[in-house]
Amino acid sequence: MRRRFSLAGQTLRALIVANLLALGVISAGFILSGLSDRKDRRDEILEHMASDLGDALGFDGAGRLVLDHDADDWHERLEKDRSLQFLAFDPASGSWLAGSSAVLRAAIGDTWLRDWRQSRLALSLPDGTPLHGAIMTVSVDGRPLRVAIARADSTWDDTLSWAGEELTEEIAPSAVPALLLSLVVAYIAIRRAMRPVKAATARLGALDPTQAGDRLDEDRVPREIAPLVAAVNAAFDRVAASFAKERRFLADAAHELKTPIAVLRARIDSLADRATAERLGADIDRLGRIVDRLLTSARLEQAALRAAPLDLAALARDVVAECAPLALAGGREIALEAPPHPVAVEGDAAALAEALRNLINNALRFTPAGSAVEVTVAEAAGATVTVADRGPGLPDGLSDSVFTPFVSSEASGSGHAGLGLAIVAAVARRHQGRIEAANRAGGGAEFRLHLPRRLSAGGAGDRG
């Protein structure tokens, strides 16, 4: 499967690239600035080198001009720049520093060496390499000395070195923290900007597209995704309209079948052959139950939800008492476990009673004689009603589809159309809850109806 991309990640990466480009532009600006001032930069470097040479000079016991014992920096400079030519001259004694460049001495001449002015020079080595240099006066132990420095033109390297020093010493200490801070602020801003999207996603997961009016709020999302939210709402409206049309058709068809079934029942009852009449009467009863379930399903889906505070434990006691005679007649029992105090929820008492009644009747149909159907009311993450039996359990892969209309775990021709659990699912959905089915350890099935304590505004269909 193709990996999904992240809008937040892409935005953050774009900001990182933009900041790095800005840093690159600043670096390029420094380099260009250094190139435009390359002559001044070259002269400045030559002056620094001549000053470094003056700092490395000293006199030995015989008064001769020598490199001081701590001239390591100057030796390191000579190692780095093989084109470097230098000389040092003491006008008072006429002595030269050992190692002074003969080429440089010949190019300058004695006149310039005895002139105290600071000068610039240009010359070429015997191999034709052009050199640029400087002559200046330095003071060593109170004695004025003339020093000269010449080196090959390395404007590009010098500029890069200068730009690097400027960036690391002047720009980086402030630019890097600012860059990191901007990324942190951008990350926080992106996270905050994505909150409405995450909220809309969570809300979308709780919506029922078959119910009209249960939609995403287009005013609470960013302008950039508002068209997408509007398109989703429009798609939900089309789905809801299609379901509403289907429900109206089923309700109308069921209603129209009531009279023909009643007429057919009367004619069957008048048959002289009682055995045939009883068989046909059983079929008519089954058909009548299907029609009643269709009408009940349509009524629950279309009628306004009359939500009001109620005691779920008391409602469960009433429904269990209502179903107890049917259980006893079949040799079964119904056990109820509920808190002694009220379990307050908000909902439609009639609809919830119908859902619980269907769950109990479904369990009684499957649980064997001599066993009990267990009904439990609990307070966990809202309120929960569990109906468990000791029947054969659910076939593999049917735990989800068993709530689909006309899907039954029983074989075809059993007399049950698979509408009872679909009605339970519709009631749970309209109460912003959910229904779950699973097999029990030790055999049997368990149906768990989860309900919120309070219904959120606009989330439960139409409320009366």
Side-chain angles (χ1 to χ4, degrees), residues 119-384:
S119 306
R120 301 287 182 269
L121 60 91
L123 67 153
S124 297
L125 294 176
D127 60 2
T129 302
L131 300 179
H132 295 276
I135 306 171
M136 61 185 299
T137 302
V138 297
S139 177
V140 177
D141 295 339
R143 297 168 61 175
L145 304 178
R146 294 289 276 170
V147 296
I149 295 290
R151 63 195 291 259
D153 188 6
S154 56
T155 303
W156 178 253
D157 293 337
D158 293 340
T159 301
L160 290 181
S161 177
W162 171 81
E165 291 178 0
E166 289 292 318
L167 286 173
T168 55
E169 296 177 6
E170 302 294 335
I171 304 301
S174 58
V176 172
L179 172 62
L180 295 177
L181 180 60
S182 68
L183 293 178
V184 171
V185 172
Y187 176 76
I188 296 174
I190 292 171
R191 296 267 301 180
R192 289 179 62 87
M194 293 300 292
R195 284 180 184 175
V197 179
K198 293 182 178 180
T201 303
R203 173 71 177 139
L204 186 61
L207 292 184
D208 181 5
T210 67
Q211 299 295 325
D214 199 11
R215 298 295 177 263
L216 295 174
D217 189 348
E218 297 178 23
D219 296 330
R220 294 180 177 272
V221 295
R223 290 193 306 269
E224 291 77 8
I225 67 168
L228 175 62
V229 172
V232 170
N233 284 340
F236 276 19
D237 289 339
R238 292 191 295 270
V239 172
S242 177
F243 270 85
K245 183 178 180 180
E246 178 184 342
R247 286 193 292 264
R248 285 194 300 270
F249 170 77
L250 290 176
D252 293 343
H255 184 74
E256 291 297 326
L257 286 172
K258 292 286 288 185
T259 299
I261 289 175
V263 172
L264 188 57
R265 178 72 193 188
R267 291 180 177 178
I268 290 175
D269 289 341
S270 65
L271 289 176
D273 187 349
R274 300 315 303 164
T276 301
E278 288 179 2
R279 289 196 301 273
L280 293 176
D283 292 336
I284 289 297
D285 290 341
R286 181 169 68 88
L287 183 59
R289 287 194 298 270
I290 294 175
V291 170
D292 289 339
R293 289 292 178 86
L294 285 173
L295 288 172
T296 300
S297 177
R299 175 177 56 80
L300 290 173
E301 290 283 2
Q302 295 178 357
L305 191 69
R306 301 184 181 278
L310 59 89
D311 180 2
L312 188 61
L315 184 143
R317 294 188 189 96
D318 293 341
V319 176
V320 168
E322 177 186 336
C323 297
L326 179 63
L328 294 176
R332 301 168 181 84
E333 296 180 354
I334 303 179
L336 173 64
E337 181 180 347
H341 56 270
V343 179
V345 298
E346 185 181 10
D348 188 324
L352 291 174
E354 180 69 23
L356 182 54
R357 192 179 298 114
N358 281 334
L359 287 175
I360 293 176
N361 288 336
N362 181 76
L364 289 174
R365 192 166 70 249
F366 287 100
T367 198
S371 61
V373 171
E374 302 169 17
V375 180
T376 305
V377 179
E379 298 174 284
T384 304

Side-chain angles (χ1 to χ4, degrees), residues 85-87 96 100-113 121-126 131 135 148 150:
Q85 305 286 323
F86 71 94
L87 61 79
W96 296 85
S100 293
S101 170
V103 174
L104 191 57
R105 179 178 175 181
I108 296 173
D110 293 343
T111 302
W112 285 102
L113 291 175
L121 60 91
L123 67 153
S124 297
L125 294 176
L131 300 179
I135 306 171

Side-chain angles (χ1 to χ4, degrees), residues 429-459:
R429 184 171 59 248
R430 297 204 67 190
H431 283 79
Q432 303 167 19
R434 68 183 190 279
I435 180 70
E436 299 172 345
N439 286 323
R440 300 178 67 188
E446 180 179 88
F447 293 83
R448 196 180 299 271
L449 176 61
H450 299 273
L451 297 171
R453 290 302 185 102
R454 292 186 60 83
L455 301 179
S456 61

Side-chain angles (χ1 to χ4, degrees), residues 347-427:
D348 188 324
L352 291 174
E354 180 69 23
L356 182 54
R357 192 179 298 114
N358 281 334
L359 287 175
I360 293 176
N361 288 336
N362 181 76
L364 289 174
R365 192 166 70 249
F366 287 100
T367 198
S371 61
V373 171
E374 302 169 17
V375 180
T376 305
V377 179
E379 298 174 284
T384 304
V385 180
T386 304
V387 178
D389 62 58
R390 285 300 180 186
L394 297 169
D396 292 340
L398 202 64
S399 59
D400 293 329
S401 59
V402 74
F403 300 107
T404 304
F406 304 107
V407 173
S408 175
S409 61
E410 296 180 275
S412 177
S414 62
H416 298 278
L419 290 172
L421 293 179
I423 291 174
V424 176
V427 172

